[in-house]
Amino acid sequence: MTTPADASIDALPVLTRIWAELLDLGDRPIDQDTTFLRLGGDSVLAVRMAALLRKQLGVVLALSDIGVETTLNELAELVRRRVGAGGTTRALPVELRKRADPHAAFPLRPLQQGYFVGQQDGWELSYESAHFYVDVRLTDIDGDEAEDSLADALRRLAAHQPMLRARVTTEGEQHMLSQDAPGAVPVPRVYDLRDAAPGTVESVLDKVRAEMRSTGPDPVRGPGIDVRLSLLPDGDARLHTSMSLLVFDGWSSTLLFRELVALAADWNAVLPPLGMDFGDYVTSVADLPGSDEWKADRSWWWSRLDAMPEPPALPLIRDPREVRATTMETREAHLPPSRWAALRDRCAARDVTPSTALSTAFAVVLARWAGHRRMLLNSLQLNRLPLHPDVHRVVGAFSATMLLPTELTEGATFAELASAAQKRFSEYSAHNLITGVEVSRELGRRRGTHRPVAPVVFQSTLSMDAAVGEAHPESAGPLGALDFGDFHHQLRTPQVALEARVYELRSELAIVFSLVEELFETEQVDAAFTELVELVGTLADGDGWDREMDLPSPAEATGSGLLLGRYDDTDRAVAEGPLSTTLEEIVAESWEELLGVPVLDRSAQFFALGGDSLLAVRALGRLAKSFGTPVPVREFLDDPTVAGLAAALAAHGATV
């Protein structure tokens, strides 16, 4: 439990110090009526601010209470009201609860469940692993010490961050192995190519990259991180890392890399201890359902679902259901430091965050590509509920998606569109106790589909350095110096057709498209990406803000042909009536045990009975053990009724 703040404490000096630290303001005086946003703050930094408020003032506020539009005076007043009982701030409805057994199993978070089901080939556009691959050049490496240094750093990091020892069960639970359990600690793989011919070096590097890009680590079978080191001629090397999105989010991958390099640089380095772990967080937020705040957020979302738009109707060359992609392809461009700094300044002057400006630019490009102005986008949020001051220093799969209906007003300037987007984001993110995965499930249920309802994603990890508390390291001791000018990466996430990502590296802004290239005309993708980069450039230069945006006239999609999110799927005829075969009775009994509800009709639909994708995997797994006959998840989703599953079992050879 957090120690309550003393009501007599003057919070303003403490809040001023917190803002100065987060926003790198030094000793600059802060106008108490200036917003966090105007000074360079955003939602990522708000997470750290909430944790620091809890640590330094003993005050617990929800992220919705400390939005980016908050001024220093307003925040001081929020703290005062929170300390004085009966205030109007929305405090978190749960407290962090430490688990008695740190190795006990705990549930998957909603987004983890989506990745887990995707790895069972449960969704279209899914893969055997959801992961993020990176490799970076190292120079001036100590080839004789590098391998031992890296292995030792991984061992110490696994002791510090228990999720490096995480495993996921086949039924969809997770747990952390003890440090001394066989195979618990990731072990690096090393390729010694120091004396190899140039052709051999390139061949091996190409092979390693291809393997790690297409086959990521699977925490069902081993560690969720794969680390490799290629020792090259002339003191060079490459550090390859692949992290499973099933157990590590984007924030965690950034944090892990920093800590790994810090430990490799110094055999005696000791990281500050953590007062919580991911399992403590997950078991604590599991208490959210049933709270008044959670119910209010669910009611807020549910009341808006029937008016939600469709995703952008991008022209397709193949139906996503027919595609079995191996990797997501990438387009990338960088804005140099001076222009990136100028863009940040112009965003602050317009009272929008850089993330909002960039997501608005993405929406404008999508509207022109799709031919309509009203669309549903998916936003990956790195927010962590501030249950503990260390929450920003813990690795795990904290991330959640948020569905964001977007309507671009015809005839508006870019500044007007971005301002409206900032207000809309603040409104929707204030109801973050319900995740986008949960909203998507309900939206899919209402629309009668198991296909992705929001397959176009925007993700920003801007401000990560400030949120984590340090910049990317440049030296790694025996591993040499890191050269981020020679940096490769690859993202692979299920249920996503196109994802725009923005991040900061070496004081540059990186703009990335990750996409399933088999779905789109290459020329259209290239044109859209070029258009996005050019639009961002006009915002950095300043002349794009007051320019009226050229947008399509229709609000809704009017195009023809194969379009994203608009599929001519014919529903199967529902087999109604009482259970009629022994197989149907067995399926019904299995569902009753798993879902805790009576199943009496052969047309009963698994998801209408309260099931979800994770429970579907469990149901199929249990029946597979009984019959020795697995039914693929995707096949089950085509007809998730008692009769449909019984027929699928029979088709795969199940007998009674």
Side-chain angles (χ1 to χ4, degrees):
M1 299 286 289
T2 299
T3 302
D6 183 345
S8 66
I9 291 177
D10 181 5
L12 200 55
V14 179
L15 296 174
T16 302
R17 288 197 300 272
I18 290 174
W19 280 31
E21 174 188 340
L22 286 176
L23 303 173
D24 195 24
L25 300 177
D27 296 328
R28 277 174 48 193
I30 300 176
D31 182 344
Q32 296 173 12
D33 292 318
T34 300
T35 65
F36 189 61
L37 185 157
R38 179 63 69 99
L39 293 171
D42 59 17
S43 58
V44 175
L45 287 174
V47 177
R48 180 86 189 280
M49 177 167 62
L52 289 171
L53 280 170
R54 184 174 187 131
K55 182 176 182 179
Q56 297 186 28
L57 289 175
V59 175
V60 182
L61 297 177
L63 292 176
S64 55
D65 293 324
I66 50 175
V68 293
E69 297 88 356
T70 303
T71 68
L72 199 60
N73 269 334
E74 289 169 340
L75 185 57
E77 176 62 16
L78 283 173
V79 171
R80 186 192 66 76
R81 293 206 310 268
R82 183 72 185 110
V83 171
T88 59
T89 59
R90 184 177 101 156
L92 290 169
V94 295
E95 286 280 348
L96 186 80
R97 190 174 68 251
K98 293 281 290 182
R99 296 175 301 145
D101 180 2
H103 306 302
F106 55 99
L108 296 176
R109 295 280 290 145
L111 189 57
Q112 287 181 288
Q113 294 176 19
Y115 291 147
F116 176 74
V117 175
Q119 292 189 179
Q120 325 299 316
D121 196 30
W123 309 115
E124 62 187 60
L125 305 180
S126 59
Y127 311 89
E128 292 181 358
S129 61
H131 64 274
F132 181 53
Y133 168 73
V134 168
D135 72 70
V136 62
R137 182 190 179 203
L138 305 173
T139 61
D140 299 322
I141 192 168
D142 184 339
D144 296 327
E145 296 283 345
E147 180 174 357
D148 288 342
S149 173
L150 183 57
D152 179 74
L154 272 172
R155 179 184 58 78
R156 288 185 287 152
L157 187 56
H160 177 66
Q161 297 282 7
M163 281 300 283
L164 266 74
R165 299 178 263 119
R167 297 293 186 273
V168 176
T169 70
T170 55
E171 287 232 327
E173 288 190 310
Q174 56 191 326
H175 61 100
M176 276 97 82
L177 299 176
S178 63
Q179 181 82 357
D180 57 357
V185 177
V187 177
R189 191 183 309 181
V190 177
Y191 306 91
D192 191 343
L193 304 171
R194 285 176 288 180
D195 297 323
T200 301
V201 169
E202 291 306 314
S203 175
V204 172
L205 288 179
D206 288 346
K207 183 178 179 181
V208 171
R209 278 191 185 132
E211 178 185 339
M212 296 184 73
R213 287 175 56 183
S214 61
T215 306
D218 183 0
V220 175
R221 299 178 177 86
I225 183 171
D226 181 6
V227 179
R228 307 186 192 185
L229 180 66
S230 298
L231 301 174
L232 307 177
D234 302 321
D236 274 11
R238 295 207 75 87
L239 179 61
H240 313 261
T241 60
S242 182
M243 301 185 193
S244 169
L245 299 180
L246 184 50
V247 290
F248 303 119
D249 60 13
W251 185 308
S252 298
S253 64
T254 300
L255 181 60
L256 278 179
F257 191 86
R258 283 165 166 75
E259 293 187 336
L260 178 65
V261 171
L263 293 173
D266 183 354
W267 296 87
N268 298 310
V270 177
L271 299 172
L274 298 169
M276 60 164 287
D277 66 28
F278 183 60
D280 298 331
Y281 181 92
V282 173
T283 54
S284 298
V285 298
D287 294 337
L288 282 172
S291 68
D292 291 342
E293 292 85 353
W294 183 89
K295 291 177 182 177
D297 276 6
R298 184 179 62 175
S299 296
W300 189 91
W301 280 104
W302 269 217
S303 68
R304 286 159 173 76
L305 286 181
D306 292 337
M308 288 273 186
E310 300 280 354
L314 302 178
L316 302 177
I317 58 176
R318 293 184 63 186
D319 189 321
R321 183 174 280 168
E322 300 170 356
V323 170
R324 292 292 191 272
T326 302
T327 62
M328 298 180 77
E329 296 305 318
T330 299
R331 308 286 191 279
E332 182 165 359
H334 287 221
L335 203 64
S338 59
R339 298 186 79 199
W340 171 219
L343 176 57
R344 293 198 303 272
D345 290 342
R346 297 186 192 282
C347 287
R350 300 282 183 165
D351 285 322
V352 298
T353 66
S355 294
T356 296
L358 292 162
S359 66
T360 303
F362 181 47
V364 167
V365 170
L366 289 172
R368 293 170 178 169
W369 187 359
H372 62 101
R373 295 179 283 105
R374 187 170 180 267
M375 64 192 74
L376 183 62
L377 300 182
N378 206 340
S379 174
L380 189 63
Q381 300 298 305
L382 302 179
N383 65 299
R384 300 167 176 222
L385 297 180
L387 301 185
H388 190 278
D390 289 337
V391 71
H392 68 289
R393 297 198 300 115
V394 173
V395 304
F398 292 87
S399 284
T401 56
M402 182 175 73
L403 298 193
L404 199 59
T406 299
E407 184 161 6
L408 303 175
T409 304
E410 194 173 11
T413 66
F414 185 88
E416 291 168 337
L417 295 176
S419 179
Q422 187 70 59
K423 293 174 183 176
R424 185 168 53 247
F425 177 83
S426 296
E427 178 188 10
Y428 277 72
S429 61
H431 303 278
N432 65 339
L433 299 185
I434 302 295
T435 70
V437 171
E438 294 164 296
V439 176
S440 296
R441 287 172 180 164
E442 177 63 16
L443 184 58
R445 186 189 68 79
R446 295 190 187 191
R447 291 180 175 175
T449 182
H450 299 294
R451 306 189 76 169
V453 297
V456 178
V457 178
F458 177 81
Q459 179 186 173
S460 169
T461 55
L462 300 177
S463 300
M464 276 296 303
D465 287 348
V468 172
E470 58 187 43
H472 269 290
E474 296 182 356
S475 176
L479 293 180
L482 289 90
D483 177 10
F484 285 105
D486 190 348
F487 175 78
H488 297 264
H489 61 94
Q490 184 80 31
L491 177 70
R492 200 168 75 164
T493 54
Q495 300 190 72
V496 174
L498 170 65
E499 179 167 334
R501 292 185 289 125
V502 292
Y503 67 93
E504 190 174 18
L505 186 65
R506 297 182 306 140
S507 300
E508 295 183 343
L509 171 68
I511 306 169
V512 179
F513 268 9
S514 293
L515 68 145
V516 180
E517 197 150 39
E518 292 89 338
L519 295 177
F520 305 103
E521 290 282 2
T522 300
E523 295 79 5
Q524 292 184 4
V525 174
D526 291 342
F529 185 70
T530 298
E531 186 177 355
L532 175 60
V533 174
E534 290 176 350
L535 178 53
V536 172
T538 68
L539 301 178
D541 297 338
D543 58 332
W545 291 89
D546 296 315
R547 184 184 303 169
E548 183 179 306
M549 289 292 98
D550 180 18
L551 294 168
S553 293
E556 308 291 347
T558 58
S560 59
L562 187 58
L563 304 173
L564 187 67
R566 281 74 168 171
Y567 311 115
D568 185 19
D569 294 330
T570 303
D571 292 335
R572 292 174 181 261
V574 177
E576 298 181 347
L579 305 174
S580 62
T581 68
T582 303
L583 266 179
E584 289 179 4
E585 291 173 355
I586 292 172
V587 169
E589 289 173 3
S590 174
W591 288 12
E592 288 179 351
E593 179 183 351
L594 191 64
L595 302 176
V597 295
V599 182
L600 305 175
D601 195 296
R602 62 198 309 260
S603 65
Q605 208 254 31
F606 185 81
F607 300 98
L609 293 172
D612 57 32
S613 57
L614 179 60
L615 290 174
V617 170
R618 291 178 182 171
L620 295 176
R622 293 176 185 184
L623 289 169
K625 288 181 180 178
S626 297
F627 292 105
T629 305
V631 172
V633 178
R634 195 180 300 207
E635 186 175 326
F636 169 66
L637 293 178
D638 286 340
D639 187 4
T641 63
V642 172
L645 181 51
L649 284 166
H652 284 273
T655 58
V656 292

